[in-house]
Structures are given as C-alpha cells and as structure tokens.
C-alpha cells in the first residue's frame, strides 16, 4: 500500500533515500541489538579507500552494528567518511563473493560453478604451470593495487619468477611522485594545517578525500587561517570553498606555474639564502622562465595577468608558509611530469621546504621484517621494457598502458596468464576495449576480489577474499608529518567460505612448489614487523588501540643542515635535473600547449565524489542511494547549442568508444569540457548498478606521460549526440 | 557551575560542510534506518552564473523544538519532550496516525511502513546514555555540527553561540527550534 | 522529507463525520418544531435524520482506525485525553456523538419497529428485550444534548486541519467554520435526497431548501474571505493558495466544488424557493431535480475535504 506518495524533495538526502528505496536493504536488523546486547568495540583499519583511517567497530551479538571513527589517529582524527560508515554493507552484502567460483561459460558470460578451495587452487596452479612451461615465468602477469596484504601477492609473483608485476601507480600518482623525487629526492607531505597560502591545481580535496590533507584544508580555509587558490575547469566542492577559483583552460597549469616563477624571480621574491644553500640550477631556471610573462600565461590559461602577478606576490610573501599542493591522481596529460616538476621547483625557490606550513619530508617509522626463505629474483626483462621506455620510473610498479600495448602485440615476448589482486583494470585503465583485447588473449585469468567486480566477471577462477572486517592483515606505516602505524584485526569471523590473501597465496604456493617461501603465519609476520616498535608489548598496544602514534612528531628542518645530502644526483634540491637531461627529457619544466577540442567536441574530464571510491563502492546500497553518478556535466551554453535539456540522454563518442548518459546541465563546468564520474556503467551483472550510468574507461583514449608512463586521462575529446 | 537542567541543542556551521554525506550514512547505521528513509538530510544549492558561482550545503534534521508542534498534536502523548529538551517518540504509545508528521514545519518526521510508527532524529539518545556524541556529529570530517548543552556556558556550543552570528530556520513557525545555523 | 500522509481514508472520514453531524443537527432542529402526535413535515425530517445520523460517522471512524499505522493500537487513543491535541479531543467527541446519535435513533423508532427489532433478536440475546422501552419523551432532551455535540463534530473535522500552523493552506480559523457549514448543508442534502423519493414531500423540501440555502450562503461567505484573507496574508499563505489559483487543484476547486457543488445547487434551490416565498405561490419541486441537487451538494462537500486534505499537505512554509 503506498499511502505516502513522494512529492518534491526539499532534501538531497531524502531524494537519495527515494532512489535507495528501490534497492534491497541488506543489514540484518533481525540481529539488531536488544537491551542487554553483548557489545564489544574492536579497533581496526578501514579499507574502503586508500586512506586507511582508524575505525572502532561496534559489534553487538556478533553482528557489526556500527563503525565509529577512532580519534587517536592523527591522520583520520575523528573522521569516518560516508564510505567508511558504509563499510559494514560490504560484509553483509548478499551479492558479495561467498565461495570460490570457476567459470563455465564464455569469459564475461557470467556462468559460474561453485568449487572447493582445493579445486580452485589446483585449477589455477595447473594453468600457471602450463604457461610457465610454454613461455617461462615471465609469461605470467601479476597486477595489484596497494593494500596491506599486497606484499604476499607480490612475493608469490617474484618467487614464481615473474618480473611482470604491475601496480596501480601508473594509473594514479607515478608522475607526481617521480617529479618530486627528481627534485627533492623524496615525495614530501604538505603541511596544510600551518600553511598561509595554498594553491591547488585540480586536486579536489573536498571530494577526493585524503587524510589529513582534507581536514587540514577544511580547517585552514574555513577558519580563515589560509588563503586557498583553486584551479579547476569544473566547479567542484573544493572550488566552492576556495577563496579564489579559476576555471583554468585544461592542460595549461604548467603555463600558470611558469608565469608564477617568472614573476617571483624577476621581482627577486624568491628565498635567496635557501636557493643558494640547498638547490642547484637556479641560474638556468631564471634564464628559462624569462619568456614566460604573465601576459603570455594569461593567453594560455585564461587567468588574467594581474591575477597571476598578484598571486605570485601573495604566494612569495606568504612563503615559507605557502605551498603549491602536489595533488595525488596526476594521471592527467602526456607531459604531466613537467607540470608537477614546475610545482616542485616553485615550492623550492620560495623556500617552502621542511619548514612549518611548507613541504615536509615524510616522517617514518621503521618496521621489522620476517626473514623468509630467499628466492632468486626474476632474470627476464619486463614486458613493458621499463629501462628502455621509462628509465627514470619506478621499475617495480611497471607502466600499465605501455605494458598493455606490448602484451597485446606479444612483444618482446608473449604473456598468457594474468593474476589480479584487489584491482579492476577494466575500469582503472583507459580504453576498456583494449583491456578486453589484452584479457581475451590470455590463457588464464585468476582474480581475488570481494565482490563480482567487472574484472572478476571476466575471470576464469575467482578467489573470494575475506572483507577487511573479517581478516587480520600485515601492519602498515602511514607516513606523513605525523607518521602512524595502523593495525587491521578481524572484527568478526568470516561469514562465508572466504580466505585472506596470505591463505590464498599459500594455497597456490603449495601447488606451485613454492611453499618454502610462505612457511609462516600472519601472526609470525606481524610479530616480526612490530617487535621494533618502542613499546614493551607492541601487539597488545595495537590490538587495544588499533594503531601506534610515533612520539615527537612533527619534526621540521631535519634536512636543513649544511651537511645533509638530498637523495638526488647532486645531493641538493634539483631545480635543473641532470637525470632528466641524461634520459633525453627537458631538464627544466617546458610547457607544450595542449591540443584543443575542435568545434563540436569537448574535453572529457573525470574524477570523484566524496561517497564513491573509484569503481568499487558504487555497488554499496548505502552509498548509491545518494545518486548513480549524477550524469554528464554539460555547460548551459553547450546544452543550448546542442538543443539538450537537463535529464536528456546523449550519446558520448570518442575515438575508442561510445556510451550513453543523461546530461546534467550546469553552470559549473567550462563550456569546452564535459565531466563524468568514474566507476559506473558496470559490465558485471552481479552489480546492483549493472549498466546504470556510463563507464568513462570505455571512452578514454590511451595516452601516457612520457617520463613516468603514468596514464593520461584528460587527453580525450568527445562529441555528443542527443538520442 | 550550578546544576541547571540540561538543554541539548546543536550548532551547525554549514559553511564547513563538504556534502560528503558521512552524517547521513552514520545515522542510518547507528539507528538502523532503512534506505527508504533518513533522519538527517542535506539542503544543497548552487547559485550564480559561470564563472561567478557559489554552492551551499546545509545539513538539517529534527530541530528538537522547545514548543514542538508534533508533540502538541499527538493524541496519545507518544511524542513528548524530555527534560533535557530532546523530543522523542515512544514507539509503544504511537498509533501511527501521522498527525505529527503533518504538523512538523520542518518535515523532519517520517512514517515507518515496516513498523507502523513515526520516527525522527532523537539526537542519538542511546549514544548519549553511553556518553558518546551523536553519530552524525562524531563522524563529520569538518566538524560541521557541534552538539552540547545550552545551559552549560562552558560548552563549545554555548561559546559559539555567544561569539558567532547565527540564525534559526522558520522561526515564524513558532516551535522554538534548537538547531542554530552559524552565519 | 515531504510526503502525503493523509489520503482518501481521511478525506472520507472527514466527509462522513460532517455528514452525520449535519444529519443530526437538522433532525434535532426539526425535533423542536414538530408537534407531538400530529403528523407534521418536521416529524418526517426529524425521524429520517435520526435514523440516518449514526451510520456515516461510524463508517468514518472505522476508516480512521484502518488508516492508523497500527490499527490494532487504536484503543491507545482512549488511554489518553490530551486537550491540546485536536485529534485526541476529536476521538472522544466522536465516541460521545456516536452514543447520542444511536440512542436518538432508537428514541425515534416506532413501537412497531422496536417490537420487530427485539423480535428478531437471536435467543442468546433475548434477555435484551427487557430494554424494549418507549423513550419518545427523551427526543427533545437528546436533541438538546446532541446539538452542541454535533456542532462540535462538524467544527472538529475542520479544526483537525485548521490547528496545524505548519500548513499555510489550512492555517486560518475559517477552515473550521467552512467545514461546519459544509457539514450542515451536506446533512440537509442527504435528507433532501431521502425525501425527494416521495411525491408529496413539498413541505419538507421547502423547509430543507430554506435551511440549506442559508448554510450554503454562509459557506460561500466563508470561502470568499478565505481567499481574500489568504491573498493579503504572508507569502507562505499566498503561495499555498496557488494550489487552487493556478495549481493542481484549480479546476477541481473552481469548477467542481465552487461551480457545481455550491453555486448550481444554490441557484436551483433559490429558483424554487424565491417565488414560493415572495409571492407565496405553492412550492413546486421536481423529484429528479431535487435529487440531483442533493447529489451535487454531497459531491461538493466531499470535494471540499478532498481539496483541503491534499492541498493542505502539499503546502508548506517558505
Ligand atoms: N577513468 C578513470 N580511471 C581511473 C581513475 C579515474 O579517476 N578515472 N583513477 C585512477 C586512480 S587514481 C586509481 S588509484 C586507480 C584505482 O583503480 P583500482 O586499483 O582498480 O581501484 P578500485 O576501483 O578501488 O578497485 C579495487 C578492486 O579491489 C576490490 N577490493 C576491494 N576491497 C578488496 C579486498 O579487501 N580484497 C580484494 N582482494 N579486493 C578488494 C574492489 O572490489 C575492486 O574490484 O584507478 C585509476 N583509473
Ligand atoms: N571519495 C573519494 N576519495 C578519494 C578517492 C575516491 O575514489 N573517492 N580516491 C583516492 C585516490 S586513489 C586518489 S589518487 C585521489 C584522487 O584525487 P584527486 O587528485 O583530487 O583527483 P580527482 O579527484 O580525479 O580530481 C581531478 C580534478 O582535476 C580536474 N582537472 C581536470 N583537468 C584539469 C586541468 O587541466 N587543470 C586543472 N587545474 N584541473 C583539472 C578535474 O576537473 C577534477 O576535478 O583521491 C583519493 N580520495
Ligand atoms: S577516507 Fe573514508 S573510505 Fe577512505 S579510509 Fe578513510 S574512512 Fe575509509
Ligand atoms: S558529514 Fe559533515 S561535511 Fe559531511 S555532509 Fe555531513 S555535515 Fe557535511
Ligand atoms: S522539528 Fe518537527 S519533529 Fe522536530 S521537534 Fe520540531 S516539530 Fe517536532
Ligand atoms: S503518529 Fe504516533 S507520534 Fe505521531 S501523532 Fe500519531 S501517535 Fe503521536
Ligand atoms: S543526531 Fe543521531 S539521530 Fe539525529 S541525525 Fe544525527 S545521527 Fe541521526
Ligand atoms: Mo589513486
């Protein structure tokens, strides 16, 4: 009986609730706590995204009732975001993976046969060995995204003898990391809590949450402690909180930064003493930036010369409490590294280094290591030929897109088996069609996941891992200005026939004859890690608190001593990078004007929302009840010229794919851009939102940053057609 | 200070809200609220013309009114004000006539089809008993909500109210709302 | 979140409650006018009214109970009396009214009817037949007692809505009066309908027409100030009026309620009355016309509640 018709919704929450009403409600309220419920609180660590916030799980009569934030963590503090709160839905989701599955139909057909773990292990081991026989261990590819337990997966790959480990870094942050490493010899943290002046190029911190940066930023901007200058073609939440928002012309940030450098240097506003003591290559830099006047940059960026000059002055005045924030997902453009280098150099010359309110080298906490039976490291070269293609990049992480090209081409050698851990390449890599191509030419695909993700949907065998609330993982150090060791302990016993990564790895190792390398328990592993900590009973402490906070941090100025050697070629901060030069790249940040969309085309921008994580949490009923990705952002003018209204469906086509999506007409995006949220338009039929919305990975074209190999996700132009 | 009776209230600093919806999910979990309903909700608005835009995000929930219309119209007394000012629904006495929903100027109440009773924000009384903060208050990355006792001059809430400009929603409704929005 | 909580059940409940109140009120008036043991038009009106009055409101109460989220908890309404809650007062008032109306109905039974009634009692209930009293002499007292109660019920159906400040569309004391007079006129209409069946009801109908026109004129002179007052009132009220002035209920309100439900019957009735009164010619009536007039009024009364219940809930402050 529906006596309660919904009228209009005064409230987003309510609107969300209405959408949500259609979805199954899965938390077992039958178990809802009675008066004298047995109630325990277990501190652990969130895994709903990369931030690893500290959580206190409230368990009532064996059922997780609520996840609360653990204020002891200096990074996540009292915060637990929407996804963190919705974490228990992952556990109680009836649609999660409950037992090993073997594919019986075609790949992607979705026909499965439940099997025992033994059968699953035997099958996988036999396939992997067959490939090893035929193509050698390098014929196997092992990809994973950072996680506490990832180490076991990687060790299996290495002991198996494969050099081909590819991680999420070249889909995410490898270019920014490389840029800062080349400049400072390390990737620093940003002391936003104490900065007075913060410039951000499209790092959407108010929606793309990073701890503690997001909270620091909120605090310093809202409480007017700092001035926030935000550059983004899109009116994001961060833009709405900024003191100044500039809808910069996409891809022109480097020009903006070069002009800042020009002004600061030509007006002698840089920190001469710091530059003299700690940097190399300033003169070359000064010479290099001469032509990049504010007027020149204004034409490139569409930010007025007067604003550029003023910002440059304010920035240098505020230094060293002034930062040009690095950002995290730097998978933007083909020369992203140069843009991040430009930032780093700017931060350096105003002396915002290792001082309060500036860039600060990450505090570290040393963990012990369990001595394991040593294996010989793989001898074969990597299939993505890192040394040849990306000599400066981190070998261990690989270069995902180049790797995909080579695997499809079968050069330098064939790769025929693919093991995937906690990663969804079908959504994470641009040009999904290519990823499918790569996938279809594999003899074997094994996936560990907790839900029927798109990649799981295409697996030959599925190893269901226990969710983060059901398992104990290796401990992890969260570096930062206030480093902390976080601990994830099982809050409840696994609800289903699932295993931890270590158990899965051991099951495979046994059958691959690699058992000797994994002859330990998670407890042994953790004991070894924590025994170094300055505590009598470290493990007890972690179990009780869920974390260990290192004392006497923050530390400033540790690198500001005459005899300190930066981990760079020159031992100093490299404004001019010899290593870039030697490898045939621009040693100083050079700006290449980005291609512009031809008439009737738009640049496709991608990004996030505070309550979704990539492609992996939009199956969560508590999260997707708010929206299903809120459509394709299209500027009012563009909509008018296309003759589309809010809510109309358009076909979006790029050179590599087509997709259909409802438009969301808004003033909040540049007329030459469109934006869509990452992670929707799922292929997996087990996903609640299967088919709902559109998948950006189907539209994005293959492009990568020349130096780091990081994917370039903002280089795609699309055209729209009303349907 | 003299033990004056508690008067719980909430200060909301909407400017700090990033619309992350953590509060909404936290409340759902804490109070086992089915997906069809929500105790708190967000008022979202983007105004202006490119590129001069501004967005506001404002969380709202039951205002725990001092003169609650819901309580006045309730035929059974199921809806009542506690001595600490929190307005609660005693499910046992609720007949599900929904008069209170209609009477609430803030549309803060909803009818639980599954239970046949009316529900709304109760400042997480169960948590308060344990000395914990309301779920939405605790979990917020921006500390947008400040919960406390109006009658305790030492409370952060009281201090904010004495130091910052603030306003009430729909005061003309005459229900004496107790959620104070900082300006 | 904004929802429609009260639907058709409540609309019917308010209508039927008002109808009973009207029936009783008119019958009670007639009771004072009729002369014992001398068949007069008043007798028929009073008797028919008394017979009909209890039943609509009873059905209405059942509907109300079934509208509750937990109907089997309805008794809880009677574990409390909350004088600040219109619904609480109303619930008690309805019980009282039901009692008076039932007893009154009994009081109007003829000896024959009573004997048949008690005769039909199944054997286990036979003992009841010792209650087979003739209480004709109570009629005037019951009428006296019942008039304020019935007026109360008529007003209450309006107060239930009018007391809700948060819904601008309702937020005026005029609603209570409007509902009262509408209730009384639906009562008349029901009686007109009932009596129009007989050929020789001229005198009864003349009386009822007279009464009814008064009620409808009064009703009209409440609708008018309601609209004007609303237009001159605060923004919220003005906005809420848009629901009937260029909103979803405009046609319903102007054409069907005001036009067909109020004006048309008023005109018809006056057309019959005026000549009869002015140049006291004999009062004519056409059975079909009378019946359809009554139906229009009843329809109008129902629509009034329909419009107010829904529009009211859709209206909200600022
Ligand atoms: N188009 C587009 N592509 C992008 C991005 C973008 O914004 N747009 N962002 C890029 C960035 S920054 C990144 S970091 C990458 C991230 O790309 P991915 O690393 O693929 O990240 P997720 O989408 O979170 O996928 C994680 C997978 O792990 C599964 N999973 C979750 N928890 C567990 C667990 O406990 N155990 C196991 N075994 N599996 C688990 C999830 O179900 C999901 O299938 O994507 C990149 N690709
Ligand atoms: N809620 C939530 N938080 C997350 C994640 C999540 O999935 N969900 N993922 C985490 C991970 S792994 C990462 S890497 C980070 C990513 O977080 P961010 O580094 O903030 O990356 P995005 O969120 O993709 O935001 C990219 C922004 O850049 C803008 N942009 C596009 N082109 C240009 C340009 O040319 N110039 C400028 N100035 N701006 C441009 C886009 O409009 C978009 O708003 O978020 C982390 N935090
Ligand atoms: S940011 Fe949210 S999802 Fe990510 S770890 Fe923290 S609480 Fe979990
Ligand atoms: S949790 Fe805080 S910041 Fe997030 S939506 Fe709620 S009030 Fe706003
Ligand atoms: S906001 Fe509504 S529900 Fe809450 S106390 Fe006030 S009137 Fe009652
Ligand atoms: S629904 Fe329940 S709480 Fe609301 S007025 Fe009726 S009885 Fe009272
Ligand atoms: S105070 Fe408690 S009940 Fe009220 S909205 Fe916040 S979490 Fe929900
Ligand atoms: Mo990332």
């Amino acid at each position: 009986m529906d006596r309660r018709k919904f009228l209009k919704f005064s409230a987003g929450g309510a609107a969300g609730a209405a959408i949500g009403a259609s979805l199954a409600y899965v938390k077992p309220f039958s178990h809802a706590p009675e008066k004298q419920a047995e109630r325990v609180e277990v501190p652990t660590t969130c895994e709903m995204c990369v931030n690893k916030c500290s959580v206190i799980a409230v368990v009532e009569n064996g059922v997780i009732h609520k996840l609360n934030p653990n204020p002891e963590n200096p990074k996540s503090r009292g915060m637990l975001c929407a996804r963190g709160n919705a974490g228990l839905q992952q556990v109680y989701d009836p649609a999660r993976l409950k037992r090993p599955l073997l594919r019986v139909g075609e790949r992607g057909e979705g026909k499965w046969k439940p099997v025992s773990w033994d059968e699953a292990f035997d099958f996988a081991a036999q396939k992997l060995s067959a490939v090893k026989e035929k193509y050698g261990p390098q014929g196997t590819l092992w990809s994973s995204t950072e996680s506490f337990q990832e180490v076991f997966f990687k060790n299996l790959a290495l002991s198996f003898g494969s050099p081909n480990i590819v991680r999420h870094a070249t889909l995410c942050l490898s270019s920014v990391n490389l840029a800062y490493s080349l400049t400072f010899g390390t990737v620093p943290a940003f002391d936003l809590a104490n900065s007075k002046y913060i410039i951000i190029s499209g790092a959407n911190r108010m929606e793309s949450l990073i701890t503690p940066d997001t909270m620091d930023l909120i605090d310093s901007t809202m409480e007017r402690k700092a001035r926030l200058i935000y550059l983004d073609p899109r009116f994001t939440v961060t833009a709405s909180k900024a003191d100044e928002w500039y809808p910069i012309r996409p891809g022109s940030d480097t020009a903006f930064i070069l002009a800042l450098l020009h002004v600061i240097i030509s007006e002698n506003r840089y920190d001469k003493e710091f530059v003299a003591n700690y940097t190399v290559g300033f003169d070359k830099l000064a010479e290099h930036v001469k032509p990049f006047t504010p007027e020149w940059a204004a034409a490139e960026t569409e930010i007025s010369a007067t604003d550029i000059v003023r910002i440059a002055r304010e920035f240098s005045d505020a230094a060293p409490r002034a930062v040009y924030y690095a950002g995290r997902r730097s998978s933007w453009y083909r020369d992203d590294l140069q843009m991040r280098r430009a930032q780093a150099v700017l931060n350096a010359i105003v002396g915002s280094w290792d001082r309060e309110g500036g860039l600060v080298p990450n505090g570290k906490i040393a963990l012990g290591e369990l001595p394991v039976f040593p294996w010989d490291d793989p001898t074969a070269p990597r299939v993505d030929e890192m040394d040849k293609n990306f000599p400066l990049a981190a070998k261990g992480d690989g270069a995902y897109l180049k790797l995909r090209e080579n695997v499809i081409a079968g050069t330098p050698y064939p790769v025929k088996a693919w093991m995937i851990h906690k990663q969804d390449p079908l959504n994470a890599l641009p040009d999904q069609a290519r990823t499918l191509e790569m996938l279809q030419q594999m003899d074997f695909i094994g996936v560990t996941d907790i839900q029927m993700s798109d990649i799981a949907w295409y697996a030959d065998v599925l190893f269901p891992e226990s969710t983060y609330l059901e398992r104990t993982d290796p401990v992890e150090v969260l570096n930062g200005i206030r480093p902390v060791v976080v601990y994830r302990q099982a809050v409840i016993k696994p609800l289903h026939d699932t295993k931890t990564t270590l158990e899965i790895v051991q099951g495979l190792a046994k059958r691959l004859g690699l058992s000797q390398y994994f002859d330990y328990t998670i407890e042994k592993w953790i004991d070894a890690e924590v025994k170094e900590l300055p505590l009598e009973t470290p493990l007890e402490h972690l179990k009780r608190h869920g974390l260990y906070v290192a004392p006497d941090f923050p530390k400033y100025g540790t690198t500001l001593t005459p005899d300190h050697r930066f981990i760079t070629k020159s031992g100093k901060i490299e404004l001019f990078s010899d290593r870039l030069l030697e490898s045939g790249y621009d040693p100083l940040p050079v700006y290449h004007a980005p291609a512009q969309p031809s008439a009737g085309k738009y640049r496709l921008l991608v990004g996030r929302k505070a309550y979704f994580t990539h492609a992996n949490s939009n199956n969560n009923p508590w999260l997707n009840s708010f929206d299903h990705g809120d459509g394709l952002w299209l500027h009012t003018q563009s909509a008018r010229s296309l003759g589309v209204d809010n809510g109309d469906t358009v076909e979006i086509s790029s050179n590599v794919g087509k997709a259909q999506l409802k438009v969301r007409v808004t003033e909040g995006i540049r007329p030459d851009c469109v934006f869509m949220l990452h992670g929707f338009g799922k292929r997996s039929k087990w996903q609640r939102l299967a088919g709902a919305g559109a998948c950006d990975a189907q539209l994005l074209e293959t492009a990568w940053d020349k130096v780091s190999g990081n994917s370039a996700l903002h280089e795609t132009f699309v055209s729209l057609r009303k349907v | 200070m003299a033990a004056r009776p508690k008067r719980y209230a909430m200060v909301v600093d909407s400017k700090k809200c990033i619309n992350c919806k953590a509060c909404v999910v936290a409340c759902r979990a804490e109070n086992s609220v089915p997906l069809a309903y929500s105790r708190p909700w967000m008022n979202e608005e983007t105004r202006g013309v490119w590129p001069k835009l501004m967005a506001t995000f404002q969380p709202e929930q039951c205002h725990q009114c001092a003169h609650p219309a819901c309580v006045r119209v309730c035929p059974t007394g199921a809806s009542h004000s506690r001595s600490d000012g929190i307005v609660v629904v005693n499910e046992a006495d609720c007949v599900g006539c929904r008069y209170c929903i209609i009477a609430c100027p803030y549309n803060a109440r909803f009818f639980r089809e599954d239970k046949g009773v009316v529900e709304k924000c109760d400042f997480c009384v169960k948590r308060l008993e344990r000395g914990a903060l309301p779920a939405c208050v605790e979990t917020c990355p921006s500390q947008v909500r400040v919960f406390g006792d109006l009658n305790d001059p030492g409370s952060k809430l009281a201090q904010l109210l004495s130091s910052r400009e603030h306003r009430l929603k729909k005061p003309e409704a005459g229900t004496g709302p107790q959620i104070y929005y900082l300006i | 979140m904004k929802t429609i909580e009260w639907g058709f059940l409540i609309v019917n409940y308010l209508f039927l409650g008002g109808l009973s109140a009207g029936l009783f009120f008119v019958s009670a008036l007639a009771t004072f006018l009729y002369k014992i043991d001398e068949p007069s038009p008043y007798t028929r009106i009073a008797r028919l009214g008394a017979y009909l009055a209890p039943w609509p409101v009873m059905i209405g109460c059942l509907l109300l109970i079934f509208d509750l989220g937990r109907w089997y908890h309805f008794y809880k309404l009677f574990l409390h009396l909350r004088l600040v809650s219109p619904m609480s007062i109303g619930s008690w008032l309805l019980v009282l009214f039901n009692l008076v109306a039932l007893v009154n109905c009994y009081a109007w039974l003829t000896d024959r009817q009573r004997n048949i009634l008690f005769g039909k009692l199944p054997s286990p209930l036979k003992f009841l037949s010792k209650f087979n009293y003739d209480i004709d002499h109570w009629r005037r007292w019951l009428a006296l007692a019942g008039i304020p109660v019935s007026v109360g019920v008529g007003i209450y159906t309006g107060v239930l809505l009018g007391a809700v400040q948060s819904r601008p569309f309702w937020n005026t004391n005029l609603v209570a009066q409007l509902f009262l007079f509408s209730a009384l006129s639906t009562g008349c209409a029901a009686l007109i309908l009932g009596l129009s069946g007989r050929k020789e009801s001229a005198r009864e109908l003349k009386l009822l027409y007279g009464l009814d026109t008064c009620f409808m004129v009064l009703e009209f002179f409440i609708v008018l100030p309601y609209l004007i007052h609303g237009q001159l009132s605060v923004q919220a009220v003005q906005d809420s009026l848009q629901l009937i002035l260029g909103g979803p209920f405009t046609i319903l309100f102007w054409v069907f309620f005001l036009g067909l439900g109020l004006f048309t019957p008023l005109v018809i009735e006056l057309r019959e009355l005026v000549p009869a009164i002015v140049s006291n010619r004999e009062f004519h009536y056409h059975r079909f016309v009378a019946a359809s007039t009554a139906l229009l009024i009843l329809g109008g009364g129902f629509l009034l509640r329909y419009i107010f219940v829904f529009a009211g809930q859709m209206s909200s402050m600022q």
Side-chain angles (χ1 to χ4, degrees), chain A residues 46-55 76 79-85 209-211 468 610 613:
Chain A
C46 186
E47 166 129 290
M48 295 295 284
C49 90
V50 293
N51 287 310
K52 299 141 189 135
C53 300
S54 291
V55 183
S76 58
M79 184 278 278
L80 201 65
C81 81
R83 299 161 295 154
N85 273 285
L209 310 180
I210 299 268
T211 57
Y468 71 100
T613 301

Side-chain angles (χ1 to χ4, degrees), chain A residues 96-100 115-121 149 421 448-450 462-468 470-473 493-508 510-511:
Chain A
R96 63 179 274 200
L97 297 177
K98 299 173 180 167
R99 62 189 60 78
V115 294
S116 71
W117 279 97
D118 283 331
E119 290 171 89
F121 287 142
Q149 70 277 32
H421 173 71
T448 73
D449 207 314
I450 51 159
L462 269 177
F463 304 106
E465 184 170 15
S466 307
T467 61
Y468 71 100
E470 300 168 303
R471 63 170 198 256
T472 300
D473 282 337
K493 287 191 207 58
L495 295 179
H496 306 289
D497 185 13
T498 57
K499 290 187 185 295
T500 65
T501 300
L502 178 57
E503 290 163 341
I504 295 169
V505 163
Q506 284 169 329
L508 287 167
K510 179 152 152 258
R511 290 158 177 84

